[in-house]
Amino acid sequence: MSNKTDSNIYTILFAIGMVVVVGALLAFTAASLKPTITKNVELEKQQNILYAMGVNENDESSANFVSTDVAPELFKKYIAKQLVIQGGEVSEDDEAYLIDIKKQKAIGKDNPADRKLPLFVGEKDGQTYYVAPIYGKGLWDAIWGYVSLDENMVIQGAYFDHKGETPGLGANIKERFFMDDFIGEHLLGENGNFKGVDVAKGNADPKNENKTDNEVDAIAGATITGNGVTAMIKSDLKLYKPYFDNLKNN
């Protein structure tokens, strides 16, 4: 007589049971970890913003955030205001750093006036910094960053990151030798129009001594990732120009 456990019905019921049990365990694990994941995302955003305005633990060559233990305290210390620009209107929002930039960029494609643009006003050593987030596409996946500006839209600092760029090539956008090149670069042209900064292959200024040419040297072998950085700087930071125009006129 055959064993009941050898029947097709038993196999199907057993498989269904395992799916239910594993699914329940995964759902429980995800729910349990959600607060921790959310908190880590918040801390990372604070670290990114602080890094862009020069509040970091960099050594001679490496890019290092402030620790997660002190990030919230330093964020409160250095970020004087969090602004949201939407449809030409500017408002304050103490949780503007939590705005989903990817989602807002998608909204802006269809309804530009509905897009929320966060801007973080920082104060450090008597200088005012305006930190704006940017988001784009690299070779393989998303790239993003935070760029710190002065009132003339001259870059004071930058932090870039990526989801899946090639190690040793496109992934180097988060290395200091690349990010530091942006410091001092002008986003505006001589006549005050917005030009952005090109990550230029064959740049005639490899030492990056000319800060008004709207170019930085590209990373060898990472042309598409560099083009992505160029594109997100031009598309996203240009949206802040009316704010800075108004800032200078008041």
Side-chain angles (χ1 to χ4, degrees), residues 149 153 187-189 191-197 214 232-241:
L149 310 170
M153 299 196 82
L187 291 176
L188 305 181
N191 59 359
N193 63 313
F194 186 92
K195 294 190 68 176
V197 178
N214 304 100
M232 68 179 178
I233 286 175
K234 290 187 175 183
S235 65
D236 287 6
L237 293 183
K238 184 178 182 179
L239 300 176
Y240 291 89
K241 188 175 185 297

Side-chain angles (χ1 to χ4, degrees), residues 6-214:
D6 293 333
S7 69
N8 290 335
I9 294 177
Y10 178 85
T11 302
I12 293 171
L13 291 176
F14 180 80
I16 292 173
M18 288 300 296
V19 169
V20 171
V21 171
V22 172
L25 287 173
L26 290 174
F28 175 78
T29 302
S32 300
L33 293 177
K34 186 175 180 180
T36 300
I37 294 171
T38 300
K39 185 61 178 179
N40 287 340
V41 170
E42 292 178 7
L43 289 171
E44 184 177 354
K45 288 187 175 184
Q46 291 177 345
Q47 290 173 313
N48 288 180
I49 294 165
L50 290 169
Y51 185 98
M53 62 175 287
V55 182
N56 50 55
E57 296 180 1
N58 286 353
D59 55 28
E60 291 184 0
S61 59
S62 300
N64 299 298
F65 293 136
V66 297
S67 72
T68 55
D69 293 336
V70 299
E73 177 186 348
L74 292 178
F75 193 76
K76 290 181 180 179
K77 176 181 178 180
Y78 288 107
I79 302 302
K81 288 188 292 186
Q82 297 186 58
L83 305 178
V84 177
I85 304 168
Q86 186 178 27
E89 300 294 324
V90 181
S91 60
E92 290 194 35
D93 182 347
D94 290 339
E95 293 189 339
Y97 75 103
L98 298 178
I99 290 174
D100 188 330
I101 305 304
K102 178 182 179 181
K103 181 178 178 181
Q104 292 301 319
K105 192 160 188 172
I107 290 172
K109 288 182 179 179
D110 297 323
N111 303 291
D114 292 339
R115 180 177 178 178
K116 294 180 179 179
L117 300 170
L119 184 65
F120 311 99
V121 184
E123 301 284 346
K124 182 170 74 75
D125 300 330
Q127 182 175 346
T128 301
Y129 298 81
Y130 301 88
V131 185
I134 56 178
Y135 189 91
K137 179 72 169 64
L139 173 60
W140 302 112
D141 213 317
I143 57 175
W144 59 88
Y146 289 84
V147 180
S148 175
L149 310 170
D150 68 7
E151 64 277 7
N152 297 309
M153 299 196 82
V154 176
I155 296 176
Q156 305 300 301
Y159 179 76
F160 301 118
D161 208 341
H162 65 95
K163 187 174 182 180
E165 298 307 283
T166 308
L169 298 174
N172 283 343
I173 62 172
K174 64 184 297 183
E175 297 296 330
R176 277 196 65 187
F177 75 85
F178 180 72
M179 296 188 295
D180 286 358
D181 263 2
F182 286 83
I183 298 174
E185 288 289 333
H186 292 226
L187 291 176
L188 305 181
E190 291 182 1
N191 59 359
N193 63 313
F194 186 92
K195 294 190 68 176
V197 178
D198 287 316
V199 179
K201 186 177 180 180
N203 180 20
D205 180 32
K207 293 185 178 181
N208 199 35
E209 296 173 341
N210 184 354
K211 296 296 184 178
T212 60
D213 62 355
N214 304 100

